[in-house]
Amino acid sequence: MSQLYTDIFSLYRQTRAAMKGVKDWERFQVFAREQWLPPEELEQIRLERLKRLLTRASTFSPFYKERLAPHKQRIEHMTTLDELSALPLLTRDDLQQHAESILCEDATDVQPDASGGSTGNPVNFYHSREYREFGGGLHLLFLSWLGVRSGDPTAVFWGADRDFKDYSRRERLMQRLARVKLLNSFDIDDSTMDAFLDELVAFQPVYIYGYASSLHQAATRILTDPERWPIRPLAIRSSAEMLYPHQREAIEQAFKAPVVNFYGSREINNLAAECPHRQGLHVMASGRVIEIVDQSGTALPSGETGYIAVTDLSETAFPFIRYLIGDMGSLSEEPCTCGRAYPLLRKVVGRSSDIITVGGKQIHGEFFTHLFYGHPEIKQFQVVQVAADRLIVKIVSDRENPDLTFVTRGIHARTGEDVAVAIERVDAIETTASGKYRFTVNRMTTRSGEHS
Ligand SMILES: [Zn+2]
């Protein structure tokens, strides 16, 4: 019965997508073929995509028209993907200042979005239809690696306040039809967690995904009484945060299913993911180029750790070309034993946030990045917990007197009014030894200055 429902729902989605002209499924079928190609053939396909992207960007985007002008010859005669590294990087600062002029003049179907990223300085950008279709196709490909299909019962441990509030009635109905159960991880106590886990026992999700820390929290709870919560998914995806080995172990033990690590971001989704062989994260190479670069933008050889620069290969109306996403990592030269041509990203560091515990509630670090969405006047922020009921919010802004009342109001709405919130204007937020920002710091739990 359940399988039949999945088949029908998946067919319904494909038909609906086809009727609306959405090409996720078509893209998926192309990518599914490409993943097994010999590396040289895949490289040629990616090069063609890159050249189309660069041509579109330098023709229709006012920002890139200017920035890529000195590289026109090079772009026309590009013969390898490596030549991409001669082009300028795109920084978060560029997004903060030039989002409007990065957008192509011929853009039609675009949606504005914003991100706190992992670095604590919010940025604004647009997502185009081409981007969404590529991302959709790549995601279907990733699910196929796990044996999961769109329409399978899914449980989500996520923390996007804005995403939850904005669900329309129609979307909620779609979620029910699509059989998705969500737990808002921004504030969980034992009783909400228990109630959700009880629900999942009856629901039996085939697929579970969420923040590493939230999945770990659920697993820890389950392991206190495994008999009460026999939840048996096919696979679990951990994303948005670093997945530590002890977390993976506990999650796999609690759910008796493999946990695969997934790397995506709000700016560019579906960047890299583990296949069930779990030897590193496959770069979703049909749609993304990931370079590891030093501070000047020079590409580093495989094995060396540096800044991650991402290029979105969809012929998008909002081009991300060599975007410094704020994380660090290293590429591997070894192929995965699964045989896929997609190269491996050995590790991703960054995405570091401490959990803040005030007013009797655990507040996920991502809550604060969401709080600053849509406030371009805030260049950077850092929330520091200094006592059980006291937070300091450090803010970098280039405005003389930005209106910051939303900060205290937003935090109090979550924690209650008893928590003291002090706002401090600073010139810069100090980084850790490896040059990363941490957007939340819990002085009450942090043992040393460095996390990865
Ligand atoms: Zn693999």
Side-chain angles (χ1 to χ4, degrees):
M1 179 60 207
S2 170
Q3 188 57 53
L4 181 67
Y5 186 99
T6 302
D7 290 344
I8 293 172
F9 190 77
S10 155
L11 189 68
Y12 162 74
R13 275 199 165 164
Q14 283 168 46
T15 315
R16 187 168 142 268
M19 279 163 58
K20 289 168 79 179
V22 176
K23 299 203 176 69
D24 300 26
W25 190 259
E26 272 176 60
R27 294 281 182 217
F28 160 61
Q29 285 169 316
V30 172
F31 300 156
R33 213 170 42 243
E34 287 174 2
Q35 66 180 328
W36 301 111
L37 288 176
E40 318 77 61
E41 269 182 61
L42 178 63
E43 163 108 2
Q44 277 310 309
I45 292 169
R46 298 171 81 205
L47 180 65
E48 285 313 310
R49 279 187 192 136
L50 176 65
K51 286 168 90 167
R52 278 204 298 274
L53 166 73
L54 294 172
T55 306
R56 180 171 189 194
S58 48
T59 312
F60 294 107
S61 156
F63 173 84
Y64 280 112
K65 212 181 284 185
E66 197 182 315
R67 193 166 268 206
L68 295 180
H71 304 276
K72 211 160 183 265
Q73 287 292 323
R74 188 191 297 277
I75 292 170
E76 274 170 30
H77 299 107
M78 231 176 214
T79 54
T80 68
L81 273 181
D82 293 344
E83 291 169 66
L84 175 62
S85 69
L87 302 183
L89 294 164
L90 181 72
T91 63
R92 298 179 68 82
D93 208 40
D94 288 328
L95 288 192
Q96 285 184 328
Q97 290 177 30
H98 308 293
E100 298 306 317
S101 68
I102 292 173
L103 187 63
C104 287
E105 289 153 343
D106 65 337
T108 48
D109 186 7
V110 292
Q111 294 167 347
D113 205 342
S115 164
S118 53
T119 57
N121 47 345
V123 291
N124 298 288
F125 48 88
Y126 291 89
H127 279 154
S128 68
R129 183 194 180 100
E130 297 83 359
Y131 164 83
R132 295 194 297 272
E133 288 174 353
F134 254 65
L138 291 172
H139 203 71
L140 287 172
L141 179 68
F142 164 68
L143 291 178
S144 76
W145 295 352
L146 308 180
V148 172
R149 297 192 304 166
S150 154
D152 277 336
T154 300
V156 184
F157 293 80
W158 209 250
D161 255 5
R162 182 183 55 167
D163 299 347
F164 279 86
K165 257 195 313 247
D166 292 350
Y167 283 134
S168 64
R169 270 178 59 185
R170 196 173 150 272
E171 282 166 316
R172 280 177 205 279
L173 179 68
M174 280 304 287
Q175 264 174 21
R176 269 231 303 284
L177 286 173
R179 298 186 298 177
V180 174
K181 283 201 189 299
L182 296 151
L183 178 68
N184 186 350
S185 307
F186 275 170
D187 53 341
I188 306 172
D189 54 28
D190 280 352
S191 70
T192 49
M193 179 63 90
D194 288 4
F196 188 67
L197 294 176
D198 286 341
E199 248 185 277
L200 294 190
V201 173
F203 180 62
Q204 286 301 327
V206 168
Y207 177 46
I208 295 180
Y209 67 87
Y211 292 145
S213 63
S214 307
L215 292 169
H216 180 240
Q217 213 176 333
T220 309
R221 193 69 196 147
I222 290 173
L223 292 173
T224 61
D225 190 357
E227 313 255 290
R228 177 175 166 188
W229 292 297
I231 302 161
R232 298 286 174 264
L234 209 54
I236 300 167
R237 156 164 74 97
S238 158
S239 37
E241 295 174 334
M242 181 85 182
L243 172 69
Y244 294 96
H246 75 277
Q247 292 178 321
R248 171 150 20 205
E249 206 174 298
I251 301 165
E252 294 190 339
Q253 202 188 338
F255 293 101
K256 309 258 186 293
V259 175
V260 295
N261 208 348
F262 180 92
Y263 178 39
S265 76
R266 190 115 194 165
E267 298 96 304
I268 310 172
N269 60 20
N270 297 283
L271 295 171
E274 283 179 318
C275 74
H277 290 240
R278 295 184 291 167
Q279 291 165 358
L281 291 90
H282 283 285
V283 174
M284 302 302 259
S286 289
R288 317 282 181 237
V289 178
I290 289 185
E291 296 169 87
I292 304 297
V293 301
D294 67 12
Q295 252 150 348
S296 65
T298 308
L300 294 172
S302 290
E304 279 188 38
T305 300
Y307 301 96
I308 294 179
V310 183
T311 300
D312 164 19
L313 287 179
S314 71
E315 206 180 326
T316 177
F318 191 89
F320 282 100
I321 299 166
R322 308 196 76 216
Y323 174 53
L324 283 176
I325 204 154
D327 298 316
M328 301 184 80
S330 65
L331 287 164
S332 168
E333 219 151 271
E334 299 293 314
C336 185
T337 47
C338 71
R340 288 184 178 85
Y342 290 1
L344 294 179
L345 188 61
R346 201 154 49 182
K347 62 173 188 202
V348 180
V349 292
R351 332 245 110 200
S352 162
S353 70
D354 285 353
I355 288 183
I356 301 285
T357 309
V358 284
K361 278 183 173 173
Q362 289 202 335
I363 302 177
H364 197 282
E366 297 265 326
F367 164 76
F368 297 101
T369 71
H370 286 248
L371 181 64
F372 287 94
Y373 276 162
H375 288 279
E377 72 278 14
I378 311 298
K379 298 298 227 184
Q380 284 181 330
F381 71 89
Q382 187 178 56
V383 179
V384 186
Q385 173 157 18
V386 288
D389 56 355
R390 192 167 142 69
L391 300 178
I392 295 173
V393 184
K394 296 181 182 178
I395 281 174
V396 180
S397 173
D398 49 11
R399 298 236 186 115
E400 195 139 332
N401 284 309
D403 181 6
L404 298 171
T405 49
F406 77 94
V407 179
T408 311
R409 208 172 46 231
I411 293 174
H412 277 164
R414 174 66 57 180
T415 63
E417 310 254 325
D418 294 340
V419 173
V421 178
I423 295 180
E424 249 176 46
R425 290 285 301 272
V426 294
D427 293 330
I429 308 267
E430 71 266 35
T431 58
T432 63
S434 63
K436 284 173 297 173
Y437 290 102
R438 294 164 62 205
F439 56 85
T440 56
V441 176
N442 190 337
R443 290 250 171 90
M444 312 196 46
T445 59
T446 306
R447 289 160 300 276
S448 68
E450 180 75 359
H451 281 238
S452 56

